[in-house]
Amino acid sequence: MDDPEFREFVEVRYADLLRTAYLLTGSRDVAQDLVHEALLKVMRHWRRVDEPMAYVRRVMVNERASRWRRIGLRELLTSAVPDPVGPDTTDGVAVRDELLTALDRLPVRMRTVLVLRYWEDLPEAEVAAVMACSVGTVKSQAARGLARLRNVLASASTGRSMATGRVIGERA
């Protein structure tokens, strides 16, 4: 299939999709595989897709959940984030590393809710639609996920964000 609209969508949104996939999987290689599989599935139905980003996110979430069920406990995510391309000494990198490490320790469903809700900044209703669950489930998973993130971050380094000095999830 050689559809210019699909090609343009991939060129424009690939980096966003890859970032989301990385946050969902915790691995650069697995994230690339996840995006490629999702795009292959979406390409087959491209003419019928109304909201491409929402549809691709949904496919990625479903594919990630399917892989997790197939692989189960044999999959082992490491807490180490891949080395950055170049040296970066900003405080944001340390905070990001701390947060990604903490995200690695969450269950897949909880991690998915937090990534879509807070990183992708999707409303609860849209997260619920992407995950095929209720808004209440999204709210409870988000609350539990934030609480667990706070605990993990607190055990690692008093739970304070280096950049802001605030507890993760705390309102300014």
Side-chain angles (χ1 to χ4, degrees):
M1 173 181 167
D2 190 26
D3 187 336
E5 288 179 22
F6 181 74
R7 183 183 308 269
E8 180 183 349
F9 170 78
V10 172
E11 289 171 358
V12 170
R13 298 302 242 160
Y14 186 80
D16 296 333
L17 294 170
L18 191 58
R19 182 191 69 224
T20 301
Y22 177 77
L23 291 168
L24 291 172
T25 63
S27 165
R28 198 175 289 167
D29 295 329
V30 176
Q32 287 176 340
D33 291 344
L34 183 62
V35 171
H36 293 168
E37 281 185 39
L39 289 173
L40 282 173
K41 288 182 179 185
V42 170
M43 183 174 65
R44 293 182 211 141
H45 307 287
W46 181 251
R47 290 288 176 203
R48 295 178 292 196
V49 175
D50 292 330
E51 295 182 38
M53 273 307 281
Y55 190 77
V56 174
R57 276 191 202 111
R58 175 76 183 259
V59 171
M60 286 192 321
V61 166
N62 288 344
E63 184 62 31
R64 173 66 177 138
S66 294
R67 281 185 184 184
W68 184 78
R69 280 193 290 278
R70 278 192 311 264
I71 295 171
L73 297 175
R74 294 178 303 202
E75 181 177 8
L76 178 64
L77 295 177
T78 65
S79 62
V81 177
D83 293 332
V85 175
D88 190 354
T89 57
T90 63
D91 289 340
V93 173
V95 171
R96 181 174 172 261
D97 180 49
E98 195 176 336
L99 185 58
L100 288 173
T101 300
L103 272 174
D104 280 344
R105 296 185 181 160
L106 298 179
V108 172
R109 189 173 174 97
M110 208 175 274
R111 178 182 182 146
T112 301
V113 166
L114 292 178
V115 167
L116 295 177
R117 180 71 181 100
Y118 299 106
W119 196 287
E120 290 292 318
D121 201 25
L122 297 179
E124 290 164 340
E126 196 169 332
V127 174
V130 167
M131 294 183 64
C133 65
S134 70
V135 172
T137 300
V138 170
K139 288 179 180 181
S140 67
Q141 289 290 308
R144 289 182 187 134
L146 288 173
R148 206 178 277 187
L149 273 179
R150 284 186 200 104
N151 289 338
V152 169
L153 293 171
S155 68
S157 65
T158 71
R160 297 279 171 196
S161 167
M162 291 171 52
T164 63
R166 290 186 287 121
V167 175
I168 300 297
E170 182 181 89
R171 297 281 179 192

